[in-house]
Every structure is written in C-alpha cells, then in structure tokens.
Amino acid sequence: MFTGSSAGWWFLLSAGICEICYAAAIPKTAGFTRLWPTLYCALFIGLSLYLLALAMRTLPVGTAYAVWVGIGAVGTVIYGIAFLGEAANVGRIACLLLIVAGVVGLKLFSPSMA
C-alpha cells in the first residue's frame, strides 16, 4: 500500500494517535493502581513505540521523534480541552499552533532515508 518514507509518515501518524490514547488514559489508571485502564495504557504505549520504531526505518530519528511528540502533545491538549474542561484561551491555542507549525516544518524539510 505505502512504501518508503510515505509508509514512515503513516506509521508516525498512527504512533502519535496511539500516544494520545495512552496519555488521555493515564489519569484513569489512578497511578497505575487500576487494572483495566493500566492495561489499556500499556497496550497503547507499546503500540505507539512499535509504530514509532517502524517510522524510524525511513525517517530521520530526530524528525520522527519530534513529530511523534508534537502529535501527542497537541492531540492530548485538544482532548483535554474537548473532554476534560481544560482552558482554551488565546495563549494556549497560539502555543498549539506553534507546535503544529514546527511539526509541519519538520515534515516539509525532512529528507527521506529510504
């Protein structure tokens, strides 16, 4: 379906989505004392790292890691705003846009390793 760096970017996007899933679930684990939320977290942590490793086969490690963290950070903040009642003020939104700009810039200016 996808080859080379195209597959790497899809793996990376998927890894970032998995990162959002586990980060959003961490509070539900109550410090990893509740079994099912903890297992959910562990599953998505493992899946996220596995997909990140697959992405790093064709993408530069620095770019892949930074984009993975950016997707996770932005997605988790959006989750917090949308579902947890966290603040959505101008300053926070501006900072999110800066992260998105950095992620887009890394995508645009990163060479493929494949």
Side-chain angles (χ1 to χ4, degrees):
M1 183 170 159
F2 299 105
T3 58
S5 69
S6 175
W9 287 105
W10 283 107
F11 286 135
L12 189 56
L13 177 62
S14 299
I17 291 168
C18 289
E19 185 182 8
I20 296 164
C21 291
Y22 81 73
I26 288 174
K28 294 178 172 94
T29 69
F32 297 108
T33 61
R34 297 181 60 221
L35 178 63
W36 294 112
T38 297
L39 291 176
Y40 176 90
C41 258
L43 170 72
F44 279 98
I45 288 169
L47 188 56
S48 183
L49 290 174
Y50 175 71
L51 291 166
L52 176 62
L54 292 179
M56 286 183 181
R57 289 180 176 175
T58 57
L59 301 174
V61 66
T63 299
Y65 185 77
V67 170
W68 176 68
V69 169
I71 292 169
V74 170
T76 304
V77 171
I78 291 171
Y79 172 82
I81 290 168
F83 298 104
L84 303 176
E86 294 180 3
N89 57 48
V90 174
R92 290 187 86 202
I93 301 302
C95 290
L96 286 178
L97 292 174
L98 289 171
I99 295 170
V100 170
V103 167
V104 169
L106 286 170
K107 164 71 170 101
L108 292 174
F109 298 110
S110 290
S112 169
M113 291 178 23

